[in-house]
Amino acid sequence: MRYFFALLLASGLLPAVVAAQSGPDLRHNTQRKAGAGTITGRVILADGRPADQVSVRVKGTGLGTTPAADGSFRLSAPVGWQVLLVSSLGYAPQEITVEVKNAETTELAALTLARGEQKLQEVTVTGGKSLNQRPTSVGKLPIAPLDNPQSTLTIERAVLEQQQALRLSDVLANVSGVYVMGTTGGAQEEIASRGFAYTSANTFKNGVRFNNGIMPEVSSLERMEVLKGSAAILYGNVAAGGVLNLVTKKPRFERGGSVGLRVGSYGFVKPQFDVYGAVGQSDKVAYRLNGTYERGDSYRDGVQGRRTYLNPSVLLRLTPRTELLVEGDYLRDNRTPDYGIGAIDYQIQESRSRFLNVPDARNATSQTSATATLTSHLNEAWQVRAIGAFQRYDNELRSAARPTGIISTPGSTYGNWSRGLQRTETAENYYLAQLDLTGTFRTGSLGHTLLVGADADQYNSTVVAYTNPRSATRPTTAVSTYDVINILDPRKEITQPVERLTGFNSLVRNSLTKGNTRRAGFYAQDLLSLSERVKVLAGLRWSYQETPSDVFNYNTVANVNNKIADTYVETRRYDNAFSPRLGLVYRPIKTTSLFASYANSFTPNAGIDLQGNTLPPSLIDQYEAGIKNELFNGALSANVTAYRIVNSNQAQAVLPTDPRFSTAATTSPQELAGQVTSKGVEVDVQSRPVDGFSLIAGYSYNYTAYTRSNIYEDGSRLRYNPAHTANASLFYNFNTRFASNVLLRGLNAGVTAYYVGDRLGGRNNRILNPATGRPWVDANGNPTTDAFKLIAVPNYFLFDASLGYAYERLSLRVKVANLLNELSYNLHDDNSVNPIAPRTFSATLGYKL
């Protein structure tokens, strides 16, 4: 860790922060102290739309800003008569002449922009919004982050372009406490936060859940939003820890776009395009279409990937106050499944390139979605929004089984693995309907920002699983081996079984599972303004969920001809839960807020209790407190959050030694008697561009452990969660200081550092044998220990460097990732040990249309 922070110091972090103390523009520091003033004002759009997309800039300079949602703005400018240019898409721009006096604030009268035909040309705005001025759309309620008693974070498109982000993990490297916990099979990045996994219920695109079994495409993103902590009041059944929302690029009325080509190490090629504009000369219909194709090999022997992506969208202005946004999304991803390098007796067998799958393995996934969002501003205070969405997800997996059962006995067979095969086919249809009403009003001295809403969604899923066929020589057994290899030397010659699997088509149908999960919820949330300094956020949601499942099982040993099912198992679950939320915000000064909050979430359980009834959901309590700061006149945002999350009624098995076990109505009873606790602290720092510099930094500490269990030791850490993470990105744009230099003004450079601390893989060892409820003994009755073991995963430090240059419409960016060539792993149990990427190079050539 000391090397990490020393490197940040050496790379310019401290000078950037010191520079920030003098304000948002320090190009001529000495001169500004003697000759600068402030302009404040408010911009109103004639049709009542929010003004947060307006550009306010000082003509002839690089100084500018964007107003807050209510139209208010604050801008530093040189002393003397200045011309402000105020403009926005689809509105007639205006110029205002104003005299700026030294060290004084000049307040302008409210300015109204009327609808107009003139389109906004491209401008450079060095101001922009700070971290605590960007409300997240995933939060639904239109409140400023400083008034939200919850940690939120937004990563904008400019950062993604500066860092040349390729995967979602590249974007997450800017967010404290949200991390990749595994890359099982190499086809997805499994995300977690605060000790809890982000399932498909926790991942959203444009406010709609999406199946995260596929790596999402980053090139289409306008921004990424993170809402940490509980989001159950807004979305119902979401795991604790937070939610992630990917916001794609939106239609624009001015015409433009870009084309680009990215190339990189290991044969990587990625052409991409983005076009947008009004349909014809219309000021009521606009479109956008972006897409990409990607192909490349890998640092992993035998691994390759191909993907095609399209993201079309259309915006219709139905009335001056009503818009309909229709968005589509298509992704086809075909890659080699990769379960890593293998482990022997819970020991990682170090390698970066060793590949253990069969040559014809593949993981083919397609995902298609359509979303329609209707937004109507009823008046200046009230808005209604309706969303309808559909998503189709298909996956076909043909792969070797995960590497388990590897021989660990020293000798000639050490490292041998009898390799099996797996095959599944998954299809899923997802439907969503959502309606939200938001508004602001007062009752006496109380101010209200109210959200009332309802949602309903449905998953229809079908999963076909295949298994091993009947042996031709032993009718009561199955053939389970494709071949035998040595994981340390896959080319080693080994005597093969006489009878073995011939390929994926030799597998037979094992089961057909049909699911039809249905959910509905009603929620209300109100931000009560008790005074200018004190605010309370209170809300409640009621959620209902049905989880029917129909499983058709087959007699696999005799099922040679894929005949109809032999058995049928039907299960029905009905769950409901209340999710409250209560938060308090105190703002001692305008730029600082202190907050504390409580919320809970719920997790449905699949088990059966002692009486034979389905287990109720587990309720998870979440406590959060922190401070949010806008420092140096908004040039730097610095937030600190502490949290504690407790699942005090976690489902666990009733052990056979329990007196109640003998009278249980089921052979595998469970009860809500376990407990898992997660606690930690997070720091997030972001700056506006200051004298050409921009900074993002963060740190997180987390400890997630069993704090009550009948088989796990109290205090034992849960797997996959790093105790520490730290991140810092520092970028410099030469245009700010060298605007008059033709050669330097298009140059920018940056460094990104990311640290992941110690983690655990493998499997948590158990102090009691779950099958007997007693301490472990061997076959002779002698005391022994659990076969499960934990794996200590090496911490690692990633350091990326990038350089970009733009001249008129052309741009070139180059990047070196993992400059220090660090080696570590992402683990799932002990059977998907995937090394992180080595040092790689990439370059992107772009052209603006």
Side-chain angles (χ1 to χ4, degrees):
M1 284 292 290
R2 65 179 182 272
Y3 301 112
F4 173 73
F5 291 109
L7 186 55
L8 295 185
L9 188 64
S11 65
L13 169 59
L14 189 57
V17 173
V18 172
Q21 299 180 18
S22 299
D25 183 37
L26 309 179
R27 290 177 298 166
H28 307 289
N29 194 37
T30 304
Q31 184 178 5
R32 286 291 308 281
K33 288 183 179 178
T38 302
I39 305 171
T40 63
R42 184 166 181 257
V43 180
I44 301 172
L45 300 184
D47 55 8
R49 297 176 186 278
D52 55 355
Q53 297 300 318
V54 172
S55 167
V56 180
R57 62 189 180 98
V58 182
K59 197 170 183 178
T61 74
L63 303 175
T65 189
T66 55
D70 64 356
S72 60
F73 68 88
R74 184 182 184 90
L75 178 63
S76 181
V79 166
W81 288 97
Q82 305 293 342
V83 177
L84 288 188
L85 177 61
V86 183
S87 52
S88 185
L89 303 182
Y91 296 86
Q94 293 195 31
E95 293 186 356
I96 303 97
T97 302
V98 58
E99 183 181 10
V100 180
K101 297 182 179 181
N102 184 41
E104 294 185 12
T105 298
T106 302
E107 185 173 353
L108 302 179
L111 174 66
T112 301
L113 289 186
R115 301 290 295 173
E117 295 299 324
Q118 184 171 349
K119 311 300 181 189
L120 174 65
Q121 301 300 313
E122 181 178 350
V123 297
T124 300
V125 178
T126 60
K129 293 185 177 181
S130 68
L131 169 63
N132 292 322
Q133 291 177 337
R134 296 192 295 263
T136 58
S137 59
V138 74
K140 295 186 180 181
L141 197 63
I143 59 176
L146 284 175
D147 291 334
N148 190 351
Q150 189 170 14
S151 177
T152 64
L153 197 71
T154 302
I155 304 299
E156 300 286 354
R157 179 70 200 169
V159 175
L160 307 186
E161 291 180 345
Q162 286 176 337
Q163 298 179 347
Q164 302 173 59
L166 179 64
R167 298 286 182 247
L168 190 56
S169 54
D170 298 329
V171 188
L172 293 176
N174 299 292
V175 183
S176 69
V178 182
Y179 44 88
V180 174
M181 62 181 294
T183 55
T184 308
Q188 69 175 125
E189 294 178 322
E190 298 163 288
I191 303 166
S193 174
R194 300 183 174 183
F196 295 87
Y198 280 16
T199 66
S200 293
N202 292 64
T203 49
F204 296 79
K205 180 173 284 188
N206 298 318
V208 177
R209 284 185 173 93
F210 77 94
N211 191 314
N212 66 359
I214 185 174
M215 287 185 289
E217 180 57 41
V218 171
S219 65
S220 68
L221 296 188
E222 191 65 42
R223 66 183 183 273
M224 183 189 75
E225 302 175 338
V226 180
L227 186 65
K228 299 180 183 179
S230 175
I233 189 173
L234 301 175
Y235 298 102
N237 176 25
V238 293
V243 295
L244 181 72
N245 185 40
L246 307 179
V247 181
T248 58
K249 298 173 180 176
K250 307 304 180 189
R252 301 171 67 173
F253 279 87
E254 77 275 20
R255 296 187 182 277
S258 63
V259 293
L261 175 65
R262 179 168 182 162
V263 296
S265 303
Y266 305 102
F268 183 86
V269 179
K270 187 183 181 75
Q272 51 196 24
F273 70 93
D274 179 20
V275 292
Y276 51 82
V279 176
Q281 300 301 315
S282 174
D283 64 349
K284 296 185 176 3
V285 183
Y287 74 93
R288 190 158 195 165
L289 177 64
N290 62 86
T292 184
Y293 170 77
E294 178 186 311
R295 58 150 294 170
D297 297 325
S298 172
Y299 59 96
R300 306 277 297 129
D301 295 340
V303 175
Q304 59 180 221
R306 305 285 187 271
R307 64 168 35 199
T308 303
Y309 176 77
L310 286 173
N311 175 225
S313 57
V314 177
L315 175 66
L316 295 92
R317 288 178 171 165
L318 305 178
T319 72
R321 292 180 178 270
T322 303
E323 290 182 346
L324 176 62
L325 176 62
V326 180
E327 300 171 279
D329 212 67
Y330 171 78
L331 177 60
R332 173 69 176 175
D333 187 277
N334 195 335
R335 63 186 58 249
T336 307
D338 179 15
Y339 293 101
I341 61 174
I344 301 178
D345 192 25
Y346 295 90
Q347 297 293 318
I348 296 176
Q349 304 302 305
E350 186 171 296
S351 173
R352 183 162 251 151
S353 60
R354 184 171 62 244
F355 177 65
L356 303 179
N357 214 327
V358 295
D360 56 342
R362 69 170 185 174
N363 189 329
T365 307
S366 64
Q367 191 173 46
T368 306
S369 66
T371 303
T373 304
L374 181 69
T375 305
S376 181
H377 297 270
L378 305 178
N379 52 43
E380 292 187 4
W382 291 91
Q383 171 187 292
V384 64
R385 186 180 68 163
I387 298 178
F390 168 78
Q391 180 186 125
R392 172 74 180 186
Y393 174 88
D394 292 279
N395 173 265
E396 181 181 5
L397 173 65
R398 295 186 173 204
S399 171
R402 298 182 185 187
T404 59
I406 301 168
I407 296 177
S408 59
T409 304
S412 60
T413 61
Y414 180 80
N416 281 7
W417 171 41
S418 296
R419 187 161 56 173
L421 299 178
Q422 59 174 322
R423 177 184 173 189
T424 59
E425 297 163 1
T426 302
E428 178 182 278
N429 289 329
Y430 175 63
Y431 308 86
L432 168 77
Q434 178 181 301
L435 183 66
D436 290 326
L437 174 68
T438 56
T440 58
F441 62 98
R442 300 192 69 85
T443 56
S445 61
L446 285 180
H448 300 266
T449 303
L450 181 67
L451 164 69
V452 177
D455 56 33
D457 63 0
Q458 181 176 6
Y459 282 97
N460 290 332
S461 62
T462 301
V463 180
V464 179
Y466 294 80
T467 192
N468 302 314
R470 180 178 62 182
S471 168
T473 59
R474 295 168 294 166
T476 59
T477 61
V479 180
S480 60
T481 301
Y482 173 71
D483 62 4
V484 179
I485 65 170
N486 188 279
I487 71 162
L488 302 176
D489 181 10
R491 298 180 182 178
K492 179 180 179 181
E493 292 188 5
I494 299 174
T495 302
Q496 302 296 320
V498 175
E499 186 178 20
R500 52 190 182 131
L501 299 171
T502 59
F504 295 109
N505 290 332
S506 64
L507 300 178
V508 296
R509 183 177 293 188
N510 179 36
S511 65
L512 169 64
T513 302
K514 293 184 176 182
N516 187 16
T517 300
R518 295 182 287 269
R519 297 184 291 207
F522 302 90
Y523 46 92
Q525 190 170 241
D526 190 9
L527 178 68
L528 296 162
S529 298
L530 307 182
S531 68
E532 286 287 332
R533 295 185 176 184
V534 181
K535 299 184 180 182
V536 174
L537 182 63
L540 182 67
R541 177 190 177 100
W542 178 77
S543 298
Y544 173 77
Q545 179 167 320
E546 296 181 11
T547 316
S549 176
D550 300 292
V551 181
F552 301 85
N553 295 304
Y554 301 86
N555 185 337
T556 57
V557 174
N559 189 19
V560 178
N561 298 315
N562 292 330
K563 68 187 185 71
I564 62 173
D566 295 286
T567 61
Y568 166 67
V569 179
E570 176 184 352
T571 59
R572 296 289 184 270
R573 288 190 56 85
Y574 304 93
D575 295 302
N576 68 87
F578 285 96
S579 300
R581 182 184 187 187
L582 181 64
L584 175 65
V585 178
Y586 173 62
R587 298 181 64 171
I589 57 177
K590 187 176 181 180
T591 57
T592 297
S593 71
L594 304 169
F595 69 90
S597 67
Y598 164 79
N600 75 16
S601 57
F602 68 96
T603 300
N605 292 303
I608 304 298
D609 66 14
L610 288 158
Q611 289 74 40
N613 303 314
T614 56
L615 285 177
S618 294
L619 300 180
I620 304 171
D621 296 311
Q622 305 193 50
Y623 307 88
E624 189 170 341
I627 181 171
K628 300 179 183 181
N629 294 284
E630 288 289 278
L631 306 174
F632 313 124
N633 199 25
L636 189 73
S637 302
N639 301 343
V640 181
T641 306
Y643 61 87
R644 180 180 175 87
I645 305 173
V646 183
N647 181 357
S648 59
N649 53 2
Q650 186 190 41
Q652 67 178 20
V654 177
L655 298 179
T657 51
D658 191 307
R660 300 170 297 166
F661 186 88
S662 60
T663 59
T666 178
T667 56
S668 303
Q670 290 187 313
E671 61 180 344
L672 302 181
Q675 179 172 284
V676 168
T677 301
S678 170
K679 55 186 177 181
V681 63
E682 297 163 348
V683 179
D684 289 299
V685 177
Q686 283 191 18
S687 78
R688 290 181 175 183
V690 177
D691 200 19
F693 286 96
S694 59
L695 168 72
I696 298 176
Y699 166 78
S700 75
Y701 165 77
N702 172 262
Y703 190 84
T704 304
Y706 291 104
T707 47
R708 186 173 66 243
S709 174
N710 57 4
I711 61 172
Y712 295 110
E713 183 178 357
D714 287 354
S716 56
R717 282 177 60 191
L718 268 67
R719 304 167 294 168
Y720 313 136
N721 304 297
H724 303 272
T725 69
N727 62 279
S729 296
L730 183 66
F731 278 82
Y732 180 68
N733 189 336
F734 286 76
N735 184 56
T736 304
R737 187 179 293 271
F738 302 98
S740 60
N741 189 310
V742 176
L743 294 178
L744 292 179
R745 67 187 179 193
L747 188 65
N748 60 81
V751 292
T752 299
Y754 184 52
Y755 173 80
V756 176
D758 62 291
R759 296 160 292 149
L760 297 173
R763 304 168 192 256
N764 285 85
N765 54 316
R766 300 158 296 183
I767 57 178
L768 296 178
N769 186 339
T772 65
R774 294 183 172 85
W776 295 89
V777 294
D778 60 20
N780 298 318
N782 299 315
T784 185
T785 57
D786 186 7
F788 288 178
K789 300 177 184 178
L790 290 169
I791 301 175
V793 186
N795 58 355
Y796 64 90
F797 171 74
L798 295 181
F799 185 78
D800 299 347
S802 64
L803 188 67
Y805 186 78
Y807 179 75
E808 294 185 347
R809 294 177 180 269
L810 280 172
S811 65
L812 176 64
R813 294 186 177 94
V814 294
K815 178 180 179 179
V816 183
N818 194 1
L819 188 63
L820 304 181
N821 203 31
E822 288 276 86
L823 174 61
S824 188
Y825 306 89
N826 289 306
L827 268 69
H828 179 88
D829 292 338
D830 62 329
N831 51 45
S832 190
V833 183
N834 299 88
I836 64 174
R839 182 188 301 114
T840 57
F841 302 86
S842 64
T844 304
L845 180 65
Y847 178 78
K848 290 186 177 180
L849 303 175

